[in-house]
């Protein structure tokens, strides 16, 4: 079974632009979560989607948004990019509806650099 | 607020030596605990998870961890380090029913000396 895929793997943008990142979960997985990883703040939860609905959201500004499609693929969007948005963005999928013991399977991440 | 603390941002051991990576959590409700490993330029890979079935959990690559409620700890160990174990290790907890939110520790970078 193919793992979680994220596209693109690397992205360079300038301040003020917007960006869209894509995540395809493992086949059959219905929950998709997004995390931001930076050297200073570590790994932080952004949001989680299940059945096209956002179920949980982390403490990030409204510039960060996401959505999930009927095939469980997910996108996240960051508008009006700031230098501090430079990070590795990780997507994770899990199979079940809401078990917080479920294992999350992570993709390789998208490395976003904001200049 | 719930939190996870990993003691030691960097740990260095010799090849063949014991690996001990420390993780403590604060939680008012029983948590579920995970250890993930991250190799350079890669995502996170699950090593093991504790979900209350047994306090000693065995994972992949020879790693294991013991849940100690009285100490609110979930330390990761491996009896004999291998060069391929060099990576960053993250302890994570979840406790929110109905959500997939993981709260991570700051990570411990493990270096193996030949």
């Amino acid at each position: 079974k193919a793992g979680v895929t994220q596209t693109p793997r690397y992205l360079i943008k300038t301040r003020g632009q917007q960006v869209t990142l894509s995540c395809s979960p493992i086949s059959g997985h219905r929950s998709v979560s997004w995390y931001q990883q930076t050297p200073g703040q570590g790994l932080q939860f952004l949001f989680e989607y299940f059945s096209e609905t956002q179920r949980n959201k982390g403490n990030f500004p409204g510039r960060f948004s996401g959505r999930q499609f009927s095939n469980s693929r997910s996108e996240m969007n960051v508008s009006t990019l700031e230098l501090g948005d430079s990070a590795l963005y990780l997507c994770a999928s899990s199979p079940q509806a809401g078990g917080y013991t479920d294992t999350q399977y992570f993709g390789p991440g998208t490395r976003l650099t904001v200049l | 607020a719930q939190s996870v603390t990993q003691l030691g941002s960097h740990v260095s051991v010799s090849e063949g030596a014991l690996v001990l990576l420390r993780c403590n959590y604060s939680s008012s409700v029983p948590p579920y605990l995970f250890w993930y490993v991250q190799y350079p330029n890669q995502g996170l890979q699950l090593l093991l998870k504790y979900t209350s079935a047994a306090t000693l959990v065995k994972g992949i690559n020879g790693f294991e961890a013991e849940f100690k409620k009285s100490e609110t700890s979930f330390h990761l160990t491996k009896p004999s380090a291998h060069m391929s174990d060099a990576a960053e290790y993250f302890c994570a907890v979840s406790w929110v029913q109905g959500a997939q939110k993981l709260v991570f520790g700051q990570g411990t970078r493990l270096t193996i000396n030949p």
Side-chain angles (χ1 to χ4, degrees), chain A residues 34-84:
Chain A
W34 289 89
Y35 294 82
Q36 182 196 64
Q37 185 177 23
T38 60
Q41 299 298 317
L43 279 153
Q44 293 184 289
F45 173 78
L46 279 157
F47 28 64
E48 184 229 347
Y49 286 87
F50 178 79
S51 291
E52 303 177 63
T53 300
Q54 186 181 88
R55 293 199 302 180
N56 199 10
K57 190 176 189 301
N59 189 25
F60 279 82
R63 300 185 297 107
F64 291 82
S65 63
R67 58 177 177 170
Q68 187 181 33
F69 302 95
S70 58
N71 62 358
S72 294
R73 191 177 69 85
S74 177
E75 290 181 346
M76 67 163 282
N77 184 77
V78 188
S79 62
T80 319
L81 284 166
E82 300 177 359
L83 294 179

Side-chain angles (χ1 to χ4, degrees), chain A residues 9-10 31 33 35 37 40-43 45 48 55-56 88 90 94 96 98-104 106-108 111, chain B residues 30-32 34 36 38 41-46 49 51 88 90 94-106:
Chain A
R9 290 293 311 277
Y10 301 92
S31 169
S33 299
Y35 294 82
Q37 185 177 23
Q41 299 298 317
L43 279 153
F45 173 78
E48 184 229 347
R55 293 199 302 180
N56 199 10
L88 181 67
L90 292 164
S94 59
Q96 296 187 24
Y100 62 110
T101 64
D102 289 349
T103 297
Q104 293 190 44
F106 284 81
R111 173 78 61 189
Chain B
Y32 290 84
F34 305 79
Y36 283 89
Q38 186 176 35
N41 300 315
Q42 294 188 27
L44 302 175
Q45 180 183 6
L46 180 72
K49 70 177 184 180
T51 58
E88 189 149 21
F90 293 93
S94 69
W95 50 75
V96 179
Q97 187 72 36
Q100 295 290 338
K101 176 179 179 178
L102 284 173
V103 175
F104 286 89
Q106 285 296 100

Side-chain angles (χ1 to χ4, degrees), chain B residues 10-32:
Chain B
H10 291 87
V11 170
S12 181
V13 302
S14 298
E15 191 175 17
L18 171 72
V19 175
L20 171 60
L21 304 181
R22 300 176 186 274
C23 173
N24 289 87
Y25 66 91
S26 68
S27 174
S28 57
V29 296
Y32 290 84

